[in-house]
Each structure stands twice: as C-alpha cells, then as structure tokens.
Amino acid sequence: MHNFRANYEKILEVLKKLELDSENFLFQIRKPKLTDLRIIAINLTSEYMSIDSEHQLFRILPVEIKSLIERSVYNRRKRKLFNHMERIKKLLAERFNGSEKYFVVDSMPLEVCKLSRSSRSRICKETDYALPNRGYCASQKMHYYGYKLHAVCSAEGVFQSLDISPASVHDIHYLKDIKQQIENCTILGDKGYLSAEYQLDLFTSHNIKLEVPMRKNQKNYKIQPYIIRKSRKRIETLFSQLCDQFMIRRNYAKSFLGFKTRILSKIVTLTIIQTINRNANRNINNLKINIA
C-alpha cells in the first residue's frame, strides 16, 4: 500500500492493456519526457494511496519519475487529460458491464465550502455554466453549498456513468441523460426518482424499466421486494467507499476543471482496483488491498 513505485507500475500495466492508440493523447510540438498515460497512472496511484496533496505527492515520488516533470507542468497536463480519463473509465466499465441488465442510480452531495463562506467564495466560479449553489441532502438531512454527483452503477458495483450538477438540481432530471447512455435494462432508484411520467418515457423510448419504491400514502401502495431493496444499497456502499478511502468530499480545487478532474480521478481509480481484483479472482469491491 505504501510502495508508490510498485503500485504505479501495477496501475500502468492495467492502463496499457486497454489497447489505446498511443501513450500520448495531447498534441505537443516537443515529445514530452513523461507520456500522458504515465501522467494518468501517477494521478491514479496517488488517489489509490489517499494522497490528496500534490506537495506530498512530489515528496514521495521516485527520483527517476520526479526528474522528468515539474509539479506545475504535471498539474496543468493532468487537468487537460480529463476527457481521456473519461474514455478510460468507459473502456473499463465496458469490460464489466457489457451485458449487464440491472443498474442502480443515486446521487451524493459534493461540498465546495461551508455554507457560511458561500457568499464570498470564488471557488469554481470561473465558468458561468457550472456555478455551485445551495442544495439539500434528504438522506443526511443537511443543507450544503456545492455540487451533486449523479451516478449509475451495475448491480455488481461498477460505475457505468456519472455527471456533476449544481446542488439545487433535482435527482430526477438526471434521468434525461441516462436514456442517452443505456437502454434495454432495469434501473433501481430511491424515492427521489419517483415519477410516473419519467417511468413511462424511459420505457417507451429506450425500453428502460425504472423500479422505484412507492410512498406509503400512495394509492395501491405495495412494499418493494427485498431483493430490489438489497441490490439498491450497492451504490450507497460505493459512495461510502469514495468518502472513506478516496476522501471525495475533501476539496482543494479552485477551478471547476480541477474539481471535476479530482472527482473523475477517484472514480477511475476505484474502477482500476476493481479490475485488478477481478484479474486476481478476488471480490472486486474489496478496495483496501495491496494491489502490488
């Protein structure tokens, strides 16, 4: 767990097996000493080892790696590789969820700063299309300032798709994006996704069956089967693992690009560990292991 070089080489090995076109994704006039794929591998290794500070990362980097890149250059290139990390996430998910028919949808709060600082905070306000705002998390009964992470995972526990929205956006609006990404399946959700209109639209347009528990005051109320309630907890466990090992709620980013890059890095790292576990015939959701 504490051997950076061994963990880095293991994660880089998994990335190379994805059969990407090249190790360099960005156009650069001069060929960089450290390839883009290796930049991603360093980033994912630091997330796996719960290293949130780039200052701390460059203190423990092996000399042969640290001598190839400066810290400011690493940070700038890492943010530019966001789209390519997203492509890697999709390739990894396809290997798990290629024939999956059952998915789970849920959301979790991502706090940018405390409510008392929200009026004067300039974090993530450089772009008008992604401004953070105030929202309410019903499951934790708290008001917060920031964003909301929407995610869909398989019944096995592998993230299929995700999105980030301002905190005030209702969960149900994410269903509009889901039907552009998956079809011919069953999606399990909580009461926040209860809508007869959306259920009918998903089923008629993309053959997606949305299973949502009924409210007790609804007409013809029926309790949801236990197997569905149990399967839906899979995504809640994933969120807990993201908060615990990957510290997803701890934010050091100042720009929205940096913020979403950190969030995506943590989720790609989680999927990488699941891939390593599957290759070693272990339970894919045992994340606190020595991968090297």
Side-chain angles (χ1 to χ4, degrees):
M1 181 86 178
H2 300 288
N3 189 335
F4 188 94
R5 183 185 288 103
N7 293 330
Y8 164 75
E9 291 175 355
K10 188 69 176 180
I11 289 175
L12 183 61
E13 179 186 348
V14 175
L15 293 175
K16 286 183 176 180
K17 288 181 180 179
L18 293 177
E19 299 178 356
L20 300 167
D21 300 335
S22 169
E23 288 197 17
N24 283 311
F25 312 122
L26 303 174
F27 172 76
Q28 298 190 46
I29 298 176
R30 291 182 295 179
K31 186 177 179 180
K33 295 179 181 179
L34 204 61
T35 64
D36 292 336
L37 193 67
R38 292 178 182 271
I39 293 287
I40 293 175
I42 293 172
N43 181 27
L44 301 184
T45 305
S46 66
E47 294 294 352
Y48 164 68
M49 297 178 66
S50 302
I51 303 170
D52 256 7
S53 167
E54 285 181 5
H55 176 70
Q56 174 65 15
L57 171 62
F58 272 75
R59 286 181 61 187
I60 68 169
L61 268 182
V63 177
E64 63 270 22
I65 298 178
K66 185 161 56 175
S67 62
L68 298 177
I69 191 168
E70 295 180 356
R71 180 176 158 189
S72 60
V73 178
Y74 164 79
N75 188 31
R76 185 166 60 249
R77 286 178 64 187
K78 181 184 71 173
R79 284 178 291 173
K80 289 182 178 179
L81 289 168
F82 175 84
N83 292 331
H84 303 283
M85 278 198 291
E86 196 167 31
R87 182 161 63 100
I88 287 172
K89 179 191 71 67
K90 291 179 181 178
L91 291 173
L92 291 169
E94 285 174 3
R95 298 194 173 192
F96 281 99
N97 304 334
S99 58
E100 184 65 46
K101 295 298 180 184
Y102 289 88
F103 294 93
V104 189
V105 61
D106 205 353
S107 66
M108 69 173 290
L110 297 174
E111 196 174 39
V112 168
C113 66
K114 296 299 181 182
L115 274 175
S116 57
R117 292 182 53 218
S118 61
S119 59
R120 62 181 186 275
S121 172
R122 302 304 304 167
I123 298 174
C124 299
K125 289 187 176 179
E126 78 282 1
T127 54
D128 294 333
Y129 69 89
L131 296 176
N133 59 21
R134 300 189 180 203
Y136 178 73
C137 178
S139 60
Q140 300 179 30
K141 297 181 180 179
M142 72 169 194
H143 293 272
Y144 68 99
Y145 176 80
Y147 297 96
K148 185 180 290 186
L149 174 65
H150 304 271
V152 174
C153 80
S154 65
E156 193 178 14
V158 179
F159 282 109
Q160 175 68 21
S161 64
L162 56 101
D163 197 6
I164 297 175
S165 72
S168 61
V169 175
H170 196 280
D171 291 351
I172 204 169
H173 296 302
Y174 180 56
L175 297 177
K176 299 176 183 177
D177 299 329
I178 286 180
K179 64 182 182 180
Q180 307 298 329
Q181 302 171 29
I182 55 178
E183 59 184 5
N184 302 320
C185 62
T186 299
I187 298 179
L188 313 178
D190 58 21
K191 294 178 182 177
Y193 300 92
L194 185 61
S195 169
E197 178 184 348
Y198 277 84
Q199 285 177 306
L200 180 61
D201 178 56
L202 288 172
F203 186 76
T204 55
S205 61
H206 290 78
N207 195 27
I208 298 175
K209 185 179 180 182
L210 180 62
E211 287 283 353
V212 182
M214 299 177 68
R215 301 186 188 278
K216 291 185 178 180
N217 60 355
Q218 280 188 264
K219 192 175 182 180
N220 301 323
Y221 168 77
K222 292 181 182 178
I223 191 169
Q224 198 174 39
Y226 171 75
I227 186 64
I228 294 180
R229 285 181 283 139
K230 182 180 179 181
S231 299
R232 192 167 52 81
K233 292 187 181 296
R234 179 69 261 168
I235 196 168
E236 295 174 4
T237 303
L238 281 178
F239 284 159
S240 297
Q241 290 171 322
L242 285 171
C243 293
D244 178 24
Q245 180 174 346
F246 297 97
M247 298 178 286
I248 197 170
R249 288 183 179 166
R250 184 184 296 179
N251 174 47
Y252 294 130
K254 296 297 183 287
S255 66
F256 180 67
L257 178 58
F259 179 81
K260 68 179 184 179
T261 300
R262 291 174 69 92
I263 300 300
L264 181 63
S265 300
K266 297 174 189 296
I267 292 174
V268 174
T269 305
L270 188 150
T271 313
I272 286 275
I273 299 174
Q274 290 174 326
T275 302
I276 293 172
N277 282 341
R278 187 182 66 172
N279 295 340
N281 295 318
R282 294 189 292 251
N283 182 346
I284 67 168
N285 292 306
N286 287 343
L287 304 182
K288 291 187 176 181
I289 57 164
N290 187 355
I291 64 173

